[in-house]
Amino acid sequence: MDRDTAAFVETYRRFLGEVVNAPRPVASKLTPLGELVAEHLGAEVSSLPVLTESMPPHRLADADIALDELSDAGDGRLLGVGGGQQRGHHSFSELLENPHAAFDAGPVDYRAAATGPHSERRTVAFGLRLLHHDGRPVAVLQRASPPEHGREDARLEVIASDPASGESFLAEVRRLMLERSVLRGQVLTIGGTEFGRGTGQMTFLERPEVSAHRIVLDETTLAGIERHVVGIGEHRDALAKAGQHLKRGLLLYGPPGTGKTLTVRHLLGRTAGTTAILLNGPSIRFITMAAEVARVMQPSIVVLEDVDLVANDRSISPSSPVLFMILDALDGLEGDADVTFILTTNRVEVLERALADRPGRIDHAAEIPMPDGAARRRLFRLYADGLPLSSEALDAAADEADGTTGSFAKELMRRTVLAAASEGRDPEDGDLARALGDLLSTRAELTRKLLVGSGDAPPPQGHSGGSFGFVGTVG
């Protein structure tokens, strides 16, 4: 290459370098949605921080109620966000400023959320709220949890023209969520989600109504149970004033079928307006979540049924069995928390050592024993209420059915009615005697064990939470 050609090549190289490296006018990355928010805030959104408030999915209805109230007071408006599924993978900032996608206003996404056993609320699942708080503009992106995308929490993302206003706004949202919560005063249970992760779904249950005459216990035992659960709650102010602790633990123990669950149902009926969370078997793994809800929504009750079935299970936390998780949850609440923990078990020996090693967590234990002769007579008459059976026949059947429980009496009366109904007539004393003979026969030995239970091991059991009749699911 001669000198002239080399000079030309060098000149051309420098020219290309200057072209490539020359500063260019940068096009605005603000999306149409970003322009709306910037206009509302009266500020450059790129210079403002985003405040994020995460919450479990069962609190989104509470957040929706709080935001509606603040929007009504703050001249608010609600917009949707276009962009399909793609928008769910972007932060609030990326929805407002994005060189690759022009996110714009669109229809609001809603999701039905239960607010009680028979009620629900249309809740914003993806929407943008533009409102004012204390006279200052605020923008809030409200998102439900999409567990199918790997995220279990619901979120509020807040941008305010003054960051201090954003903090103040979120504090007010939290206050209203607590004050207006749909969970307060309800009976709830917690179960796993279809996606197999750990947050769980919260479901509303009917509050049971079980009168005291249906609880076949001696008066002293029942009175002690009621005083510990109901009485402390009724006198919480006097106890607190005297410096006495309100947190309490109750253990109901005894053979299967003796009435532990029925006693719990009675206590729930006696404590209307108290938030109750019921956990049974595998759902006991949600004890930490239940304890937190109980702490926030007090006065409250946490019921842990059949604890012995999972007490030594380490599948949830290999380093600690479930029973220790329960005891840790009790320890995590202050003494002045108006929270009652009720544990039921068929095999108290499984729990006794651990409870004794950490005294004070359970401060009242009540045995629900096998019914004696007088108690069986009461049970038979209770379950035969309204049936045309003589008192003599019922008492004779109760005396003959020694060693049986209320579950046995309940099934006996059903078989008595069924035998008569199959012949198109009302039940008679003879139907009762024949049904009793069938259940006490050797060929019904397994059925009898399933109704009465075994002294060696608990019988197969289903999820007793179903007896409370759940309807609506939160989250």
Side-chain angles (χ1 to χ4, degrees), residues 325-372:
M325 292 175 61
I326 295 170
L327 296 175
D328 287 343
L330 270 69
D331 290 342
L333 294 174
E334 298 296 330
D336 61 353
D338 192 358
V339 179
T340 305
F341 285 86
I342 303 177
L343 282 64
T344 75
T345 180
N346 298 330
R347 296 183 295 168
V348 71
E349 66 276 5
V350 174
L351 313 179
E352 192 170 2
R353 175 63 182 273
L355 295 176
D357 286 346
R358 297 172 77 171
R361 279 67 179 179
I362 300 297
D363 35 31
H364 187 83
E367 182 181 9
I368 312 297
M370 293 288 288
D372 59 15

Side-chain angles (χ1 to χ4, degrees), residues 55-67 111 113 121 123-126 142-145 154-156 177 474-475:
M55 63 193 71
H58 61 265
R59 298 303 309 277
L60 186 62
D62 295 339
D64 196 67
I65 292 170
L67 290 171
R111 177 182 297 180
R121 174 187 177 85
T123 303
V124 174
F126 205 108
Q142 180 177 340
R143 308 184 195 227
S145 59
R155 292 183 186 175
L156 303 180
M177 285 177 63
V474 184

Side-chain angles (χ1 to χ4, degrees), residues 258-269:
T258 52
K260 296 182 293 295
T261 294
L262 195 66
T263 302
V264 170
R265 289 167 57 86
H266 168 65
L267 294 172
L268 295 178

Side-chain angles (χ1 to χ4, degrees), residues 63 241 370 456 470 475:
K241 185 177 180 180
M370 293 288 288
D456 300 321
F470 66 79

Side-chain angles (χ1 to χ4, degrees), residues 161-419:
S161 58
D162 173 16
S165 295
E167 294 283 3
S168 171
F169 174 79
L170 279 177
E172 183 63 10
V173 170
R174 295 185 200 106
R175 186 189 70 80
L176 289 173
M177 285 177 63
L178 184 59
E179 188 175 294
R180 311 279 195 267
S181 179
V182 299
L183 306 180
R184 189 176 296 282
Q186 298 278 5
V187 180
L188 312 156
T189 190
I190 306 172
T193 71
E194 60 184 300
F195 301 100
R197 297 185 177 88
T199 299
Q201 289 189 125
M202 192 161 288
T203 302
F204 291 94
L205 310 178
E206 293 273 12
R207 186 174 292 274
E209 294 291 339
V210 177
S211 59
H213 87 276
R214 293 186 59 194
I215 308 300
V216 182
L217 290 175
D218 67 84
E219 293 183 2
T220 301
T221 298
L222 182 57
I225 292 170
E226 290 180 326
R227 182 169 57 250
H228 199 66
V229 176
V230 183
I232 290 178
E234 290 177 340
H235 301 288
R236 62 176 64 90
D237 292 339
L239 288 166
K241 185 177 180 180
Q244 302 302 304
H245 64 282
L246 299 178
K247 184 178 71 172
R248 58 264 196 208
L250 169 68
L251 177 66
L252 301 178
Y253 66 95
T258 52
K260 296 182 293 295
T261 294
L262 195 66
T263 302
V264 170
R265 289 167 57 86
H266 168 65
L267 294 172
L268 295 178
R270 285 287 312 275
T271 52
T274 297
T275 306
I277 305 101
L278 313 182
L279 302 179
N280 176 285
S283 70
I284 290 177
R285 72 183 188 272
F286 296 114
I287 177 59
T288 302
M289 176 180 175
E292 175 60 19
V293 173
R295 182 189 67 80
V296 173
M297 299 296 166
Q298 56 184 289
S300 53
I301 296 173
V302 178
V303 178
L304 308 171
E305 289 200 279
D306 300 324
V307 176
D308 53 289
L309 299 182
V310 295
N312 295 316
D313 184 5
R314 292 180 180 268
S315 62
I316 302 164
S317 175
S319 63
S320 178
V322 170
L323 181 57
F324 289 156
M325 292 175 61
I326 295 170
L327 296 175
D328 287 343
L330 270 69
D331 290 342
L333 294 174
E334 298 296 330
D336 61 353
D338 192 358
V339 179
T340 305
F341 285 86
I342 303 177
L343 282 64
T344 75
T345 180
N346 298 330
R347 296 183 295 168
V348 71
E349 66 276 5
V350 174
L351 313 179
E352 192 170 2
R353 175 63 182 273
L355 295 176
D357 286 346
R358 297 172 77 171
R361 279 67 179 179
I362 300 297
D363 35 31
H364 187 83
E367 182 181 9
I368 312 297
M370 293 288 288
D372 59 15
R376 278 198 312 280
R377 290 188 175 198
R378 287 177 59 194
L379 285 168
F380 275 49
R381 292 186 182 216
L382 175 66
Y383 287 112
D385 186 38
L387 299 180
L389 302 173
S390 70
S391 299
E392 294 77 14
L394 288 170
D395 288 347
D399 292 341
E400 186 176 350
D402 186 32
T404 63
T405 65
S407 299
F408 181 93
K410 186 177 182 180
E411 176 59 20
L412 174 62
M413 299 312 158
R414 181 170 70 168
R415 293 190 180 208
T416 300
V417 172
L418 180 61

